[in-house]
Amino acid sequence: MRVQFSRRAGALPAILCGRVGAAPARLLSSPSGGGRGRAPFGNGCGGQARDGASFRGWLVSGIGRTLASPDRNRHRSGMETYRPRRSVLYVPASNDKALAKIAQLACDAVIIDLEDAVAPADKIAAREKLAGIFANRPGADRNGRRCEMVVRVNALSSEWGTEDLAAVAKAEPDGILLPKVDTPRDVLEVGDVLDDNFAPDSVKLWAMIETPKAMLNIGAIAELGRDPASRLDCFIAGTNDLIKDTGVQATPDRAYLLPWLMQMLLAARAGGLDMLDGVFNDFRDLDAFARECTQAAAMGFDGKTLIHPSQIEAANRAFAPSAQALAEARAVKDAFALAQNSGKGVIALNGRMVERLHLAQAEKLLAKAAAIGA
C-alpha cells in the first residue's frame, strides 16, 4: 500500500484546532490501498468523517482516481491581480432564465448556487448544468474585465455535497464557496481534494461564516489565508443564518450584528482575505439596501452579496472609491515620488503627516480604481 502524508490538513497545528494534544499528522491512503487512511471531509479538528464511506467510493470511481505526487507544487504565486468584488450576485443553478443573463450583468462576480437557492428535488439537475455553464462562460468586456464565477456547493455533510465538489472541480470555476464552515479543517480537507486531483491554482476557496461555531473559530480559519496552499481567498458573512442560529433581532441598523461583522472583518484582514457583506432580503427597497451598502463600505468590507440584479448598481457605487478619495490617493503617491522625499518614511502633505503606510493604502485604492475603470 502506498501512503502519503496529507500536505496540510493532517499537519494542521493543534493550536489552530483549539485543543492541545492533537495528532500532528494523519495518513492519507491511496485509493488502491486497503489500509486505514485520513478520514476525508472531517467535521472539525480530528473529528469523525462526515461521510467517509461514500467519499472513498467517490475517490475510487471518479475524481479521486489519481493522487498528486508529494513533490508537486500547488502553491499560488505571491502576487496576484486585484479583483474587485463590489457586487456578488447569487444565481440559482436551476434558473435557466437567470443563467442566460449573466453575460449582460454589471456585477463583479456571480455565485452559481447549488445550495439554498435550489430545491432538493432539483439539486441533481442543477449540478448537471455546471459543465455547460462554464463551457459557455462570458468572456472579457470591452475594458478587459471578466465577471468572476464562483459555485456554492451543498454542505459536504449533505447527500449532495461530495458529488457537487466532483462536478465543480471538473468545471474549474474561479472559486468554490463552502457553506457552514466551522473550523479550519473544513477548508483544508476540500483544498486537499482539489490539490490531489490537480485542480488549477486559480480555483480558490471562499468560506461562508454563518454559524456560532465559525465565529468562535474565526481567527484560526482566517489564518489559512496566509498560506497560499490553502486556496482560501474570501469570507462571506452569512447574516441570515447567524440571526436564525443566535436569535438576535434583525434591526434596520443591524445593531446586534455589527460586533460579529467587525470581528469577521478584522479576522479577514489579519488573514489577507477579502470580506463580503451578507445579503439584503427586501430587494424592492433599494434605498434601505443602499444605506446598508454604505454602512458596510464604511466598515471596510470589499463588497456585498446580492439576491437580485436590481441591487448591482447601488453596490457598485457604494464600494467604489469616491472622486475625493482618488484625488487624495494620487496626491500621496505623487508626493512620495518626488526626489526630495525619496527614502523618507514620513512626509508633510497639505499640513498633514503622511507615512509610508498611507502610501500603501493609496496604491491599493488606485489599483482598485483601475480594476473597475474608475
Side-chain angles (χ1 to χ4, degrees), residues 4-5 38 119 216 234 291 313 344 354:
Q4 294 177 317
F5 278 99
R38 175 171 54 79
L216 293 178
C234 185
R291 288 194 295 272
E313 183 180 355
K344 290 184 179 180
V354 180

Side-chain angles (χ1 to χ4, degrees), residues 329-337 341 344-345 347 354-366:
R330 293 189 185 100
V332 170
K333 184 178 180 180
D334 291 345
F336 273 103
N341 293 329
K344 290 184 179 180
I347 63 172
V354 180
E355 302 179 67
R356 288 274 168 184
L357 65 89
H358 297 116
L359 174 60
Q361 290 175 321
E363 290 174 336
K364 182 177 180 180
L365 192 71
L366 292 172

Side-chain angles (χ1 to χ4, degrees), residues 102-260:
I102 290 177
Q104 305 165 27
L105 299 175
C107 54
D108 291 330
V110 295
I111 297 174
I112 308 299
D113 196 6
L114 297 175
E115 196 211 15
D116 286 348
V118 179
D122 298 329
K123 297 280 190 185
I124 296 175
R127 181 199 303 144
E128 291 173 347
K129 294 179 182 179
L130 289 178
I133 292 171
F134 283 90
N136 299 288
R137 66 179 299 173
D141 63 17
R142 61 186 178 185
N143 297 312
R145 296 190 299 270
R146 184 170 63 86
C147 181
E148 194 171 9
M149 294 184 68
V150 177
V151 178
R152 178 163 67 170
V153 296
N154 286 281
L156 296 174
S157 58
S158 74
E159 61 184 286
W160 307 285
T162 54
E163 294 297 331
D164 282 355
L165 185 57
V168 173
K170 292 177 183 177
E172 297 185 3
D174 296 307
I176 300 172
L177 176 56
L178 306 178
K180 303 296 188 293
V181 170
D182 285 336
T183 71
R185 189 170 297 278
D186 292 332
V187 176
L188 291 169
E189 295 285 7
V190 175
D192 271 348
V193 172
L194 295 177
D195 285 357
D196 291 342
N197 291 276
F198 306 104
D201 295 342
S202 58
V203 180
K204 310 302 183 189
L205 293 178
W206 295 22
M208 293 290 304
I209 305 300
E210 54 186 341
T211 67
K213 190 171 183 179
M215 292 306 305
L216 293 178
N217 292 322
I218 189 73
I221 298 170
E223 188 65 20
L224 297 178
R226 292 297 177 186
D227 178 9
S230 76
R231 297 176 181 258
L232 186 61
D233 197 53
C234 185
F235 277 170
I236 295 181
T239 45
N240 282 337
D241 280 275
L242 279 172
I243 290 171
K244 174 180 69 70
D245 288 351
T246 60
V248 300
Q249 186 175 356
T251 58
D253 62 358
R254 302 200 291 182
Y256 303 110
L257 284 173
L258 290 180
W260 298 332

Side-chain angles (χ1 to χ4, degrees), residues 82 84-88 108 234-237 254 265 269 274-279 289 292-293 296-297 300-306 315-316 318-320 368:
Y82 174 80
R85 290 165 177 161
R86 301 164 298 168
S87 50
V88 180
D108 291 330
C234 185
F235 277 170
I236 295 181
R254 302 200 291 182
L265 188 283
R269 293 297 178 255
D274 278 356
M275 183 72 237
L276 304 181
D277 195 11
V279 299
F289 172 74
E292 193 163 288
C293 286
F301 280 65
D302 296 291
K304 191 166 180 66
T305 48
L306 317 176
N316 283 345
F319 292 98
K368 180 176 182 179

